[in-house]
Amino acid sequence: MATQLERKEYDLTPLRESKLPIIWVLGGPGSGKGTQCDKIVAKYGFTHLSTGDLLRSEVQSGSGRGQKLNAIMEQGELVPLDAVLGLLAEAMLANVTSSKGFLIDGYPRELEQGLTFEKQISECTIILNFEVSPETMTKRLLHRAQTSGRVDDNEETIKKRLDTFSKHSKPVIEHFSNKCKTINAERDPTEIFKDIEACLDSLANINGF
Ligand code: ADP
Ligand code: MG
């Protein structure tokens, strides 16, 4: 889809120089990223940035950019890389002086997003990859739909989002396999978090956060 979105320029030097840990949280829609990120923030104090939330608040702002984004999200498709990376960079810069590290939830959605992030911003430290079956994701999303008010939590869009996810996510995991920790996220949230703690505690020993 040829969508024209305004571009802003940023000086990303403070982010590069901060050397803060950067954790990407990958997983399909409804895999439990938001749920686990809340737990990670509570224990480790990282700055949680969900690209979905950043995009939805841009839509809420009523900007022209937001209206174009909403139309794409309603279709269950990926928004253009520039738009999502710009929002992320802006949010990271706003927090860089006080942050202990960044938890980036829902990005990268495709390989190019990951490569461009590392080229323009900084290297990712570790990836938490949530593995869940499409059936479980659908079930959870339909349940979430009862309260979320999200334009994309409906049966038709969920199907498209799952297709978009399965098409684009594999190359990301394969390319970054050396720093990717795959987590069985079919289980109870408490059980899942134990595995995450094991990953992050060993990372803390190495990076000293
Ligand atoms: P994501 O951010 O990956 O889209 P959410 O964290 O918003 O996923 O979770 C989607 C829905 O599934 C929510 O209603 C949440 O309460 C529920 N959920 C999340 N993790 C689990 C889990 N491990 N087991 C059962 N339900 C879960
Ligand atoms: Mg989420």
Side-chain angles (χ1 to χ4, degrees), residues 27-36 50 105 130 136-137 139-141 143-145 147 150 161 185-190 192:
S31 61
K33 300 182 294 296
T35 304
Q36 295 299 323
S50 150
D105 159 4
F130 291 9
T136 302
M137 289 193 267
K139 210 168 68 196
R140 290 183 189 167
L141 289 171
H143 187 256
R144 183 173 78 181
T147 53
R150 283 178 47 164
R161 286 160 69 203
E186 290 284 346
R187 298 166 295 160
D188 184 84
T190 320
I192 298 169

Side-chain angles (χ1 to χ4, degrees), residues 43-88:
K43 173 156 184 192
Y44 299 92
F46 294 136
T47 307
H48 175 210
L49 299 172
S50 150
T51 50
D53 290 348
L54 290 171
L55 289 162
R56 282 184 288 277
S57 75
E58 182 72 22
V59 172
Q60 285 295 314
S61 78
S63 68
R65 180 163 75 162
Q67 285 173 18
K68 286 171 191 151
L69 295 172
N70 198 42
I72 300 168
M73 288 157 77
E74 271 177 345
Q75 296 301 312
E77 289 171 15
L78 296 177
V79 306
L81 194 161
D82 275 2
V84 65
L85 193 57
L87 288 172
L88 255 186

